[in-house]
Amino acid sequence: MSVEFLWRIPVHGDGRRAHHLHTRGEWNGLQTLQAPKRVAPEHDDQLFAYYDYIQQVAKATDIVGFHGALIPAFPHTEEPWVLASALARETKRLRLLIAIQPWFIHPAYASQMAASLQRLSQGRVEWNVISGGGGAQQRAYGDFIEHDQRYARTREFLDFVKGYSHHTPFDYDGHFFHVDQGGLRYPMNQYPVPRLWLAGASDAALDVAGQHADIHLTWGEPVEQQKKVIEHARDFFQKKHPDRQVNFGMRIDVLARPTAEQAYLELKQAHETITGTRNNFARTDTESVGAKRQQQLVQSNRFEDLFVQPNVWAGMSNVRGGPNCILVGSYEQVAQRLQEYIDIGVGHFILASNPHLEEAYRVGEEVLPLLGYK
């Protein structure tokens, strides 16, 4: 099985401490003349913007040999399509995995945007299609439909995009989207639809993934639990969509150092920078089955209690938001844990570590070669 490793672009700040003390970008509580100092940009800096730092991360990711980079989407961060357009001209091989919700944009225009960016990047565009986790965050985007309907909309969106991109003239009369005699024409129809990464653990989510996904993506969990997640999804796909091949991907952070003791110490220091008023990234109103499983991993706030298996620590959501699990240990231990996930069927990894610039080099230089990947 071929294996791909991608990196994450930090779209809302970066640093070595908990999120509210990140020194890079404006998403923090740091004040002028305060130590640690805020950079990228500094306060009142007219010459550099946070994009200048993101550009460095993307170039490092490209140089060190990662296959691509996830550009996430959140309500109060840089916008992934805009970043991808800029980074396409700053990178040479890096595939650009853009997070997109079908609620954001009409599929006709999404098809045109993707085609244009494919031309600009010479075919390096991929989509992380997110149906949405519901709750207050979804309503803040202006999206009020319920869980299963969001996945029905995603199905229509992708049906539409695949038809509109390569079948002119194209008619579509769905529940959510409509078009009459549309479609991309030469030369905009020369590249394929972006490779599709879809997440979700509910039956509604798996049904759409089975029909459309190239890669079914989950947040990392302890390896035995991850194995059950993959086996359940594989069984579902074989029963409902036996003619399609869906591969499996996983998002997980890593913290690798020459020794396990160094790695544990740094992680503990980051954990200790969390304050009581700043450490709650968990969304209590999420409708996501996968997010709820992540929350169930956390039964304590004590550093030692958050190890859920050797070298797997489940407290990262409080440090920087997002998935809970991080692989922590020596270079060899982290490589061994990654190999265990490969052995159960994970072929696509989205890795991350703070700060993303330095850690892209470290993971690319020290960890991935131990797995036989440059």
Side-chain angles (χ1 to χ4, degrees):
M1 178 178 67
S2 63
V3 180
E4 292 183 347
F5 293 94
L6 289 77
W7 198 242
R8 181 181 67 207
I9 298 297
V11 295
H12 60 309
D14 201 6
R16 294 179 175 85
R17 300 169 178 82
H19 191 274
H20 70 288
L21 293 175
H22 278 177
T23 54
R24 303 172 194 183
E26 300 95 324
W27 293 268
N28 54 56
L30 303 182
Q31 303 300 315
T32 305
L33 303 180
Q34 179 179 348
K37 175 185 176 182
R38 194 189 92 183
V39 297
E42 297 183 33
H43 289 278
D44 302 320
D45 191 343
Q46 302 301 312
L47 296 178
F48 293 100
Y50 185 59
Y51 169 74
D52 294 296
Y53 175 67
I54 286 180
Q55 179 189 75
Q56 287 186 306
V57 175
K59 284 188 171 182
T61 305
D62 198 18
I63 289 169
V64 82
F66 283 93
H67 293 89
L70 170 66
I71 310 176
F74 299 103
H76 306 296
T77 68
E78 303 285 8
E79 203 287 316
W81 277 100
V82 174
L83 290 183
S85 299
L87 295 177
R89 305 302 289 177
E90 302 292 342
T91 54
K92 302 182 186 301
R93 295 183 296 252
L94 194 71
R95 301 188 66 80
L96 303 165
L97 178 55
I98 301 169
I100 177 174
Q101 287 199 30
W103 171 245
F104 291 170
I105 188 172
H106 193 280
Y109 199 64
S111 300
Q112 184 180 4
M113 290 175 65
S116 188
L117 191 51
Q118 289 281 51
R119 286 163 55 80
L120 188 151
S121 67
Q122 296 185 314
R124 292 186 284 131
V125 180
E126 306 193 1
W127 279 354
N128 174 204
V129 182
I130 303 168
S131 296
Q137 186 178 98
Q138 202 69 28
R139 295 191 297 273
Y141 273 130
D143 187 11
F144 291 85
I145 69 173
E146 55 91 19
H147 177 275
D148 285 6
Q149 283 295 294
R150 290 197 298 273
Y151 284 99
R153 181 177 59 198
T154 296
R155 186 194 310 276
E156 280 197 14
F157 181 91
L158 294 174
D159 285 341
F160 189 116
V161 166
K162 289 180 176 181
Y164 192 90
S165 296
H166 295 110
H167 301 285
T168 304
F170 178 69
D171 296 333
Y172 193 86
D173 186 22
H175 179 74
F176 300 97
F177 304 111
H178 312 271
V179 71
D180 183 23
Q181 298 290 289
L184 298 181
R185 294 173 172 80
Y186 181 86
M188 302 304 293
N189 59 4
Q190 298 303 292
Y191 279 99
V193 169
R195 187 166 66 161
L196 299 174
W197 301 58
L198 275 72
S202 67
D203 284 356
L206 290 172
D207 197 37
V208 177
Q211 180 179 347
H212 284 294
D214 298 295
I215 299 156
H216 182 248
L217 181 65
T218 62
W219 285 353
E221 302 180 34
V223 68
E224 287 303 317
Q225 192 166 325
Q226 192 77 34
K227 182 179 180 180
K228 293 178 182 177
V229 170
I230 291 174
E231 289 175 345
H232 173 70
R234 183 181 287 121
D235 289 345
F236 188 99
F237 297 152
Q238 289 175 348
K239 290 176 182 177
K240 294 294 186 72
H241 304 280
D243 297 330
R244 294 201 72 249
Q245 174 65 45
V246 181
N247 296 315
F248 295 95
M250 186 179 82
R251 281 186 61 185
I252 196 164
D253 280 26
V254 296
L255 199 165
R257 293 295 182 265
T259 69
E261 291 74 20
Q262 288 175 278
Y264 296 151
L265 177 60
E266 288 194 31
L267 183 60
K268 187 171 184 179
Q269 289 171 339
H271 181 253
E272 289 171 349
T273 64
I274 301 170
T275 67
T277 58
R278 299 277 188 168
N279 70 348
N280 187 16
F281 283 93
R283 291 178 52 203
T284 58
D285 64 346
T286 183
E287 298 171 10
S288 166
V289 175
K292 290 177 180 177
R293 284 204 310 264
Q294 291 282 312
Q295 293 171 4
Q296 291 168 1
L297 293 171
V298 181
Q299 303 297 325
S300 169
N301 286 324
R302 290 182 67 249
F303 178 79
E304 294 78 7
D305 294 340
L306 290 168
F307 281 94
V308 292
Q309 75 173 53
N311 308 114
V312 181
W313 190 77
M316 281 306 292
S317 182
N318 280 340
V319 177
R320 54 90 184 94
N324 266 326
C325 287
I326 181 171
L327 304 181
V328 54
S330 68
Y331 299 142
E332 293 78 10
Q333 288 171 331
V334 170
Q336 289 167 4
R337 298 292 85 76
L338 287 170
Q339 184 61 54
E340 290 172 358
Y341 288 104
I342 294 170
D343 292 343
I344 63 169
V346 179
H348 306 267
F349 292 86
I350 301 174
L351 305 179
S353 188
N354 298 86
H356 290 71
L357 176 60
E358 293 92 325
E359 294 303 309
Y361 281 110
R362 187 191 299 271
V363 174
E365 293 168 352
E366 304 287 356
V367 177
L368 299 191
L370 298 175
L371 292 159
Y373 306 97
K374 66 175 184 177

